[in-house]
Amino acid sequence: RELHEGSVEQLFRVLAAIRKYAADLAKILDEIEGGSYVGDSIESVLRDSDSGQLLPEAIAMLGTLLLILDERIPGPCRERSLVLFYRCTVGTIRASDDYADVCKLFKSTGRPADPHIASRTLGYPETYFARFSLCPDALRLVIGHLQTGDVYGAACHYPLPEHRSHSLSAQAGLLYVALFFQVETLKSDGVAMREIVDRHFGDCWVVAYALGYTADLLAMWAPYPAAMQALSNAITASNVRQLQDQHLSRLAKIHEKITEYLTEGVLTEEFVSCKTPALLSCLRQANTSIRWLLLQPTTLDPKLKAICVSSAQIKEQLLGALVDTALLEEKIKSLLIPLVARRDTDWQELKTEASQAMDDLAVYFSGDHALRRNVRNEELENWFRGLQQRIDELGFASQEDLLVLSRKVSQLTTALEEVSHYHEVSQQPQILHFLADARQLLQRMLRTANLSEDVLRTIETVADLSYAWKALGAYQHTMGGLLSASPSSVKGLRALFLKLASVLETPLRRIRQSGNSAQDNLVSGYYSDRLVKFMRSVLQEIPRLIFKRIGRLSELEAARIPATWTSRITVAELQGFAEKSAEAYDEVSTITKHIALLMRGIRETDVAVLGIISVEPRSVLLDGLRQELACQIESLLAGLKFGSSSGANFQDAAAPLDALAKKSRALCQSFEHLQDYLGVSALQLWHREFGRVVRFLLHMELHSLLRRRLLPLDSVPYHDSLAPISFPDASSSRAGDSFISRTVAMLIESTDPKAVIGGLHHEWYSSQSVNVSVDGLVLDSLMRALHPPGVAAVSKILSFRVASRLRETLTACRSTLDDREVQSAIQKVKLSIGEDGCRISKIIKPIQNSLNQQFKLLVERITGIGQIMLLQRRLASLLRVQCSLHASLVGEALSILDSAALAETQELESDLLETADDRLPSLWDFAKDSEKGPSPEESQLRVYRKLARAGELPGFANPIRQMLRVIPEGTAPADIEIVLILAMFVHIASRPAYTSPPSQKSPKRRGRSGEATSSPVQEPSTFGERCPAFAAGCAAILQQLPRKATNGLLSLCGKCMQSLSAEAAEGHGTIMTDNAIFVEVLSTVASLLGLSQANLSDYIPQGLLDLLPVEK
């Protein structure tokens, strides 16, 4: 309920807004029809050019909202949402008075699924539309206006009759929707339907009625007899096949012309201004054929779909023509827009040049010219002066002036051609050349005058691609293939995206006319974002191709320098390597060249402005590389799986780690090899994305571990919508949802205290064989495979598991304390502590044997905690080593900052702060954000949290000394120190017998290749080193308990040591052994807790304290 409350409220607001819009529309129609507006009626409104568009659009908008709502949010979903809205708002101020009306209007309509839409019976969607009553007379007039008129005046942009259906496509969508309000026309008015079909749908039956939404008339009009009869006469299989062949052949011819126009150097300002009609005709032919071939194959009719099926070759041909058409349109507009903008200036300059040319000719024939004084001809001089005056009088201000101008320029041109035939003129080549230039100036003047905004409007109308908002989604794979085959096609695709940006004009035109800037920004932002996402999804093929080549590059082992080479090699070795790797290096060169070509296409592509969003191709490439790199890293980590182990031999755990380390290293090196061509820092990008992937998976794993509902991806702090990560991964199983939980499961299974020994200072190895289970090489493989972020994530999951087990252990302690025998034993121990001279060991010995069953579960819980703590210690040590090797300065800086924070805190808590020098700045002065920042205590808390997070990666924290569960004073189980000491003796009594195998007295280490090496491992010699898990678990529990419990346990341990020492003095061998084991366990606990002899001297006598190997 809480999760969907906001969504259902938003849906109810949408439904209420549609209801209000329908009510307002019905009211305005009734008022116009009733004569509320003096001098206006439905007929007069439709006669006006602007209102004649607005009224049909208003009615069609209501129908479009209803159709899209029923398609995107089905009736049962709407009904459940309305029920949930009622439950969430009833009795509150958010309750709506319109709830009953909304439920009545938007209840389920019984809309069939898309495959069965053609076989439905009468009733949908006319009964759905009938819920919203509109004036019948107004509907008939609007439908008649759409049926016979040219609402948008698009016929001037499509002069050819074969393009009539394309010119009327915008009002055809309005007519399709409006007819459902007047369904009787579809049912029985055969004459009107024949006229509608012949005029609007004679050669196209798939109509676009909204952005990205199309309708197949053969399916939507199937239940209506008159409509289907009219359609069946026009749309037949033979006609469709003929139309398809016609459009394919026309597109092929037009594509050849477009290719010629796109040849470098062809499109110039003069060429465009001269060939404008031819270029517009070419664009009309191309766009009309593209529209037909994009929309009609989406039909739902199986027979026509078989005819119009688009093969891969047709898709490539169509996409190539579409890309080249978009590129041609962009280039033409880039030339025409400045020409139209400076038309008046160019006209004046050309007129001045033509007038000056006539003046020069007049001066020449006057005889006053400096070079030729014997060519005086007063008649020609006066004639050219007359032409000059006529040119100076040329001008245009209206359409009539343009017609007059055309005739005058034609007369002047004819006069100049005729004068060139005069004997005196024709004998002078320079004069002929001058006259030719003058005629060209006059023609340029005429072409310049013909340039207008109408040409640009025609291009925008013809180039509209809003109908293909969703149709182009089926061509996304073809676009990727185009990029793969021709890297330079990035420019063409950029032009296609700019062409697709025309979808913004349809929804924004009326919003901008109303002056609603808020809605303008909202709508343009939505569609611009969708356009950018589509552009990114298409251009993502470039990073995908790059990483495909990188993957191939990482597999070329022959191109890598052998790892066995020393710092000095012989010339023969170098020549032999060069001969063997020649073929591999040729392939490397080919791969590098292909990637360089892809990058050149990106670098040469200009910035694209899609709506209100400016898209930089290089930033798109970088985001694409990040996304593909994240996918590659995610795929590598998802492939990390460990086989089920049998017995105590877990040596195969390192094999998948080594394989992962090898793959990731090869991929990273190949990425670095190409970073100069890509223009990115490959290593930095690798570390950033690897860390983000690991942190995202860790965040999701923690929520899964805490048994919480998985968060939506948008709310996860490490989620990036441009480079999403999936959870669970592809290898999800019972072992874990990601590589982190699977690795944790492997480590816990490999270090199970029941099957392995060691782990305190040495490796874990099997207690029954000589095989090492987890050693330094396994952990090194873990580090090379998962890198520090992965190892730190594994340690984090282990911490949460310890916290969970601590809760279970405390519960087990309380359950143990509830047992009567345990309570009796605790009372005996308490009495023995209070009696003078009584030896406590004599009381504990019988108890530990009788309470073995009661303490078995508790001992297992404590041992399990210790097992994880020892693993965390080794992982923290591994992280510290990596930090000191690869980031020593950062590690030292964090360590110094941590020490400084601790010192400052100690000063704040002591009286030293009062005597401190106020002139010296404190660490917390730098931690404050401003003068009005948080208090010193809040600053301390923030810095501690940041230091704790920063210290996880370098492994600075001591896991055993961490507070994982806060147990306040007084909330700990009573007598828990006695329970722990009893559990300790029960553990010692049930210790497994250990003997080295007779065939081999010391285990052997596993080498890199998996074979056992001859170098022996140092074998643990003491019980504390062989079985340290219980001691580590006790230390972890004591760290969480209040100080009183720790002091009580130490005091009790001191009394036990005195008692055991006294019994050992009597010469009992078993007692001596138990005493030594007890001392070892106690010393291990003290060492893990960091207790020195000074801390233990209050509880243990000095003579016995010297036996403990703890710091002084």
Side-chain angles (χ1 to χ4, degrees):
R1 175 173 174 173
E2 293 79 6
L3 187 63
H4 300 288
E5 184 176 358
S7 300
V8 296
E9 288 188 13
Q10 186 177 7
L11 175 60
F12 182 82
R13 288 196 298 269
V14 171
L15 299 180
I18 296 176
R19 173 190 170 277
K20 185 177 184 303
Y21 176 78
D24 292 344
L25 178 60
K27 180 181 177 181
I28 192 67
L29 290 177
D30 292 338
E31 289 178 351
I32 296 175
E33 186 69 18
S36 299
Y37 301 94
V38 178
D40 285 326
S41 62
I42 299 295
E43 294 88 344
S44 63
V45 168
L46 292 176
R47 280 196 298 268
D48 184 76
S49 59
D50 293 330
S51 59
Q53 297 175 6
L54 289 173
L55 187 57
E57 286 178 1
I59 295 175
M61 175 63 72
L62 176 59
T64 302
L65 289 173
L66 298 179
L67 290 174
I68 294 177
L69 176 68
D70 208 27
E71 179 181 345
R72 300 301 298 271
I73 307 176
C77 179
R78 292 198 302 271
E79 292 176 350
R80 294 190 185 100
S81 300
L82 290 173
V83 171
L84 179 57
F85 173 79
Y86 179 79
R87 292 175 179 175
C88 294
T89 59
V90 63
T92 66
I93 60 175
R94 295 178 297 164
S96 176
D97 297 335
D98 302 331
Y99 179 77
D101 294 336
V102 170
C103 291
K104 180 180 178 181
L105 292 174
F106 296 101
K107 62 183 179 181
S108 181
T109 61
R111 180 185 187 274
D114 288 341
H116 308 290
I117 197 76
S119 59
R120 74 188 190 280
T121 58
L122 280 173
Y124 182 84
E126 56 268 20
T127 55
Y128 179 35
F129 279 51
R131 299 174 187 174
F132 303 86
S133 177
L134 298 178
C135 178
D137 294 336
L139 287 174
R140 282 196 294 271
L141 289 173
V142 167
I143 292 175
H145 181 57
L146 293 173
Q147 175 182 344
T148 59
D150 185 6
V151 175
Y152 294 102
C156 62
H157 304 300
Y158 292 91
L160 294 178
E162 62 191 41
H163 298 156
R164 182 177 57 187
S165 61
H166 300 282
S167 66
L168 299 176
S169 59
Q171 72 184 63
L174 303 181
L175 182 59
Y176 160 75
V177 178
L179 282 171
F180 287 120
F181 287 103
Q182 191 74 20
V183 74
E184 291 300 326
T185 304
L186 293 171
K187 290 181 180 179
S188 57
D189 196 346
V191 175
M193 289 309 303
R194 280 197 300 272
E195 182 180 358
I196 289 173
V197 170
D198 291 341
R199 191 165 188 263
H200 295 84
F201 310 112
D203 57 351
C204 54
W205 63 100
V206 177
V207 56
Y209 64 93
L211 284 181
Y213 291 92
T214 58
D216 185 358
L217 299 183
L218 293 175
M220 294 302 297
W221 287 356
Y224 311 117
M228 282 306 296
Q229 183 178 0
L231 272 179
S232 60
N233 294 332
I235 308 300
T236 61
S238 58
N239 289 345
V240 171
R241 186 177 291 105
Q242 180 182 356
L243 286 171
Q244 186 184 31
D245 296 339
Q246 177 184 345
H247 283 292
L248 285 175
S249 61
R250 181 194 301 170
L251 188 63
K253 296 177 182 178
I254 294 299
H255 195 190
E256 293 179 0
K257 283 188 179 182
I258 293 175
T259 306
E260 294 177 3
Y261 289 145
L262 290 176
T263 304
E264 190 69 27
V266 172
L267 287 178
T268 60
E269 290 186 350
E270 185 174 354
F271 181 85
V272 170
S273 61
C274 181
K275 298 290 185 179
T276 299
L279 291 173
L280 290 179
S281 176
C282 179
L283 293 179
R284 285 193 199 98
Q285 298 286 346
N287 279 283
T288 51
S289 295
I290 289 171
R291 181 188 181 96
W292 197 95
L293 293 172
L294 274 177
L295 284 184
Q296 306 315 311
T298 61
T299 179
L300 299 176
D301 187 272
K303 295 181 180 179
L304 300 184
K305 196 175 186 66
I307 297 174
C308 299
V309 62
S310 298
S311 63
Q313 183 179 0
I314 295 178
K315 283 187 175 182
E316 291 178 2
Q317 177 185 354
L318 179 59
L319 181 62
L322 179 58
V323 168
D324 289 344
T325 302
L327 195 57
L328 179 62
E329 291 168 356
E330 182 190 15
K331 290 187 175 182
I332 291 175
K333 286 193 291 185
S334 65
L335 294 172
L336 275 179
I337 290 175
L339 284 175
V340 173
R342 65 173 192 266
R343 181 181 64 166
D344 295 338
T345 305
D346 291 347
W347 164 264
Q348 291 297 333
E349 292 179 357
L350 291 171
K351 188 171 74 169
T352 303
E353 290 182 13
S355 177
Q356 184 63 39
M358 297 299 100
D359 181 70
D360 293 340
L361 286 172
V363 170
Y364 180 84
F365 285 104
S366 66
D368 297 334
H369 197 273
L371 298 180
R372 299 293 299 271
R373 296 183 181 276
N374 56 346
V375 292
R376 180 177 178 82
N377 190 327
E378 186 175 354
E379 183 180 356
L380 286 176
E381 178 187 0
N382 294 332
W383 189 78
F384 282 115
R385 290 294 181 190
L387 289 183
Q388 180 183 6
Q389 183 179 0
R390 292 173 63 183
I391 291 176
D392 290 337
E393 292 174 354
L394 292 177
F396 62 93
S398 62
Q399 188 67 28
E400 291 78 8
D401 293 339
L402 282 176
L403 295 176
V404 175
L405 177 66
S406 177
R407 289 195 297 270
K408 289 181 178 180
V409 170
S410 178
Q411 292 173 1
L412 290 172
T413 304
T414 303
L416 290 176
E417 289 179 354
E418 290 177 353
V419 78
S420 63
H421 297 295
Y422 285 8
H423 176 75
E424 189 173 354
V425 175
S426 62
Q427 299 301 319
Q428 303 183 45
Q430 68 274 18
I431 300 300
L432 294 176
H433 181 72
F434 208 79
L435 290 173
D437 290 343
R439 290 196 300 271
Q440 290 181 2
L441 284 173
L442 290 173
Q443 293 299 324
R444 288 176 61 188
M445 288 173 61
L446 185 59
R447 289 197 298 267
T448 302
N450 285 328
L451 294 174
S452 64
E453 296 288 344
D454 295 338
V455 179
L456 296 177
R457 281 194 291 269
T458 299
I459 294 178
E460 291 178 0
T461 303
V462 169
D464 178 45
L465 199 63
S466 57
Y467 62 88
W469 177 251
K470 286 187 178 179
L472 283 178
Y475 288 79
Q476 188 168 338
H477 180 71
T478 310
M479 293 179 187
L482 180 64
L483 285 172
S484 177
S486 176
S488 60
S489 59
V490 179
K491 290 183 179 180
L493 288 177
R494 172 187 172 275
L496 174 59
F497 299 136
L498 292 176
K499 179 182 175 71
L500 192 59
S502 62
V503 299
L504 289 170
E505 296 302 322
T506 302
L508 291 179
R509 182 177 56 201
R510 300 306 182 192
I511 294 176
R512 288 171 178 169
Q513 289 176 357
S514 65
N516 193 334
S517 59
Q519 294 296 325
D520 188 352
N521 295 333
L522 180 64
V523 174
S524 59
Y526 170 78
Y527 284 106
S528 299
D529 184 64
R530 294 286 300 274
L531 277 171
V532 172
K533 286 182 179 179
F534 180 70
M535 177 181 180
R536 289 180 181 276
S537 64
V538 173
L539 293 184
Q540 184 61 29
E541 185 64 24
I542 293 179
R544 195 174 293 116
L545 289 171
I546 290 174
F547 271 91
K548 185 178 180 181
R549 302 298 189 275
I550 289 177
R552 176 56 187 155
L553 195 63
S554 64
E555 297 173 358
L556 293 176
E557 297 286 347
R560 294 193 186 92
I561 298 177
T564 56
W565 274 10
T566 60
S567 58
R568 292 186 177 182
I569 58 174
T570 62
V571 175
E573 290 177 337
L574 185 60
Q575 290 178 346
F577 172 73
E579 293 176 358
K580 293 179 181 178
S581 60
E583 184 177 351
Y585 271 100
D586 290 342
E587 189 169 355
V588 170
S589 301
T590 304
I591 293 173
T592 306
K593 177 184 176 182
H594 192 272
I595 292 177
L597 290 175
L598 287 172
M599 290 307 304
R600 187 176 69 179
I602 287 289
R603 284 194 298 268
E604 293 178 353
T605 305
D606 298 329
V607 177
V609 180
L610 300 180
I612 62 173
I613 300 178
S614 178
V615 181
E616 172 64 44
R618 291 186 61 82
S619 65
V620 173
L621 173 68
L622 181 59
D623 293 335
L625 290 174
R626 287 179 51 250
Q627 177 181 351
E628 197 61 30
L629 181 59
C631 291
Q632 294 288 333
I633 293 173
E634 182 185 357
S635 176
L636 287 175
L637 295 176
L640 181 61
K641 295 183 291 186
F642 302 94
S644 58
S645 303
S646 59
N649 185 8
F650 305 107
Q651 299 292 344
D652 295 337
L657 293 174
D658 291 336
L660 175 59
K662 183 178 179 181
K663 290 180 181 178
S664 63
R665 181 60 181 166
L667 181 62
C668 184
Q669 286 180 345
S670 301
F671 194 28
E672 288 184 73
H673 173 75
L674 299 170
Q675 64 180 356
D676 293 335
Y677 299 97
L678 302 177
V680 297
S681 177
L683 194 59
Q684 180 184 8
L685 195 61
W686 171 273
H687 287 312
R688 185 167 65 239
E689 288 303 307
F690 193 95
R692 187 181 69 85
V693 170
V694 170
R695 286 189 288 272
F696 174 85
L697 295 176
L698 174 62
H699 188 88
M700 302 300 287
E701 281 281 3
L702 292 180
H703 272 265
S704 178
L705 184 64
L706 296 175
R707 296 181 180 178
R708 296 179 181 175
R709 179 183 297 166
L710 291 181
L711 296 174
L713 293 181
D714 295 340
S715 61
V716 179
Y718 307 107
H719 170 71
D720 188 350
S721 59
L722 299 178
I725 307 165
S726 60
F727 181 87
D729 59 20
S731 301
S732 176
S733 62
R734 290 185 302 172
D737 291 332
S738 72
F739 79 97
I740 303 175
S741 51
R742 292 194 294 271
T743 305
V744 167
M746 181 273 295
L747 290 175
I748 292 178
E749 187 179 7
S750 300
T751 58
D752 186 3
K754 296 180 181 179
V756 299
I757 58 177
L760 181 63
H761 301 299
H762 308 285
E763 291 82 356
W764 287 268
Y765 55 92
S766 173
S767 59
Q768 303 298 327
S769 64
V770 298
N771 295 323
V772 174
S773 178
V774 177
D775 59 355
L777 293 179
V778 174
L779 296 177
D780 180 62
S781 298
L782 183 69
M783 177 59 71
R784 290 186 293 107
L786 304 185
H787 304 282
V791 176
V794 170
S795 180
K796 189 76 172 180
I797 290 291
L798 289 173
S799 298
F800 273 74
R801 292 205 176 187
V802 166
S804 177
R805 293 195 180 189
L806 279 171
R807 183 180 65 253
E808 297 172 355
T809 302
L810 293 176
T811 304
C813 284
R814 293 187 176 93
S815 300
T816 305
L817 287 169
D818 293 338
D819 190 88
R820 292 184 178 180
E821 295 184 12
V822 175
Q823 292 178 357
S824 176
I826 290 175
Q827 292 300 325
K828 291 180 182 180
V829 172
K830 287 182 178 180
L831 291 174
S832 66
I833 295 175
E835 296 178 2
D836 296 334
C838 181
R839 295 175 179 176
I840 190 173
S841 59
K842 291 183 179 181
I843 302 299
I844 293 180
K845 290 294 182 181
I847 291 175
Q848 71 180 15
N849 295 326
S850 61
L851 298 180
N852 187 23
Q853 190 65 30
Q854 287 86 341
F855 279 87
K856 181 178 180 181
L857 178 61
L858 180 60
V859 170
E860 289 180 356
R861 302 277 190 194
I862 297 174
T863 305
I865 292 174
Q867 173 198 4
I868 297 180
M869 283 297 180
L870 293 175
L871 274 173
Q872 282 192 274
R873 285 180 75 238
R874 292 301 296 270
L875 294 180
S877 175
L878 191 64
L879 289 171
R880 286 195 297 273
V881 171
Q882 288 294 317
C883 180
S884 63
L885 292 176
H886 303 289
S888 57
L889 295 179
V890 176
E892 292 177 5
L894 282 175
S895 178
I896 293 171
L897 183 60
D898 191 22
S899 303
L902 180 61
E904 291 276 357
T905 303
Q906 291 175 349
E907 289 184 2
L908 285 174
E909 295 176 352
S910 64
D911 295 333
L912 295 177
L913 187 61
E914 299 178 359
T915 60
D917 190 352
D918 296 336
R919 294 174 296 179
L920 295 178
S922 172
L923 177 65
W924 313 119
D925 295 334
F926 296 98
K928 287 186 178 180
D929 296 334
S930 62
E931 294 181 358
K932 298 181 180 180
S935 62
E937 292 76 13
E938 295 176 350
S939 300
Q940 290 181 45
L941 186 59
R942 290 183 181 181
V943 172
Y944 289 154
R945 288 174 178 172
K946 291 180 180 179
L947 282 176
R949 288 194 296 267
E952 290 177 357
L953 194 58
F956 287 158
N958 186 352
I960 296 180
R961 303 296 300 278
Q962 285 183 333
M963 293 294 296
L964 300 175
R965 187 176 181 84
V966 179
I967 304 176
E969 197 78 33
T971 60
D975 303 321
I976 189 172
E977 63 275 8
I978 300 178
V979 174
L980 290 177
I981 199 73
L982 290 175
M984 190 179 298
F985 276 98
V986 170
H987 172 66
I988 293 173
S990 61
R991 66 187 185 276
Y994 172 77
T995 56
S996 297
S999 60
Q1000 189 157 348
K1001 292 299 181 182
S1002 61
K1004 290 191 175 183
R1005 189 185 303 272
R1006 182 183 56 84
R1008 289 284 185 194
S1009 62
E1011 300 293 335
T1013 62
S1014 59
S1015 57
V1017 179
Q1018 184 180 355
E1019 181 183 355
S1021 58
T1022 64
F1023 176 81
E1025 293 180 350
R1026 290 197 302 271
C1027 303
F1030 181 83
C1034 289
I1037 293 174
L1038 290 175
Q1039 184 67 30
Q1040 317 305 315
L1041 294 173
R1043 185 67 179 173
K1044 180 181 178 182
T1046 305
N1047 295 339
L1049 179 65
L1050 293 176
S1051 176
L1052 194 58
C1053 288
K1055 294 182 182 297
C1056 289
M1057 287 187 65
Q1058 295 180 35
S1059 177
L1060 290 172
S1061 299
E1063 293 183 13
E1066 299 176 2
H1068 300 288
T1070 305
I1071 294 177
M1072 292 178 65
T1073 305
D1074 293 343
N1075 189 7
I1077 294 175
F1078 180 77
V1079 170
E1080 290 175 6
V1081 174
L1082 182 59
S1083 63
T1084 303
V1085 173
S1087 176
L1088 292 174
L1089 288 175
L1091 299 177
S1092 62
Q1093 288 189 4
N1095 301 122
L1096 301 175
S1097 59
D1098 294 337
Y1099 312 105
I1100 302 175
Q1102 187 64 39
L1104 297 176
L1105 191 60
D1106 294 336
L1107 300 176
L1108 296 177
V1110 295
E1111 296 181 359
K1112 297 183 179 181

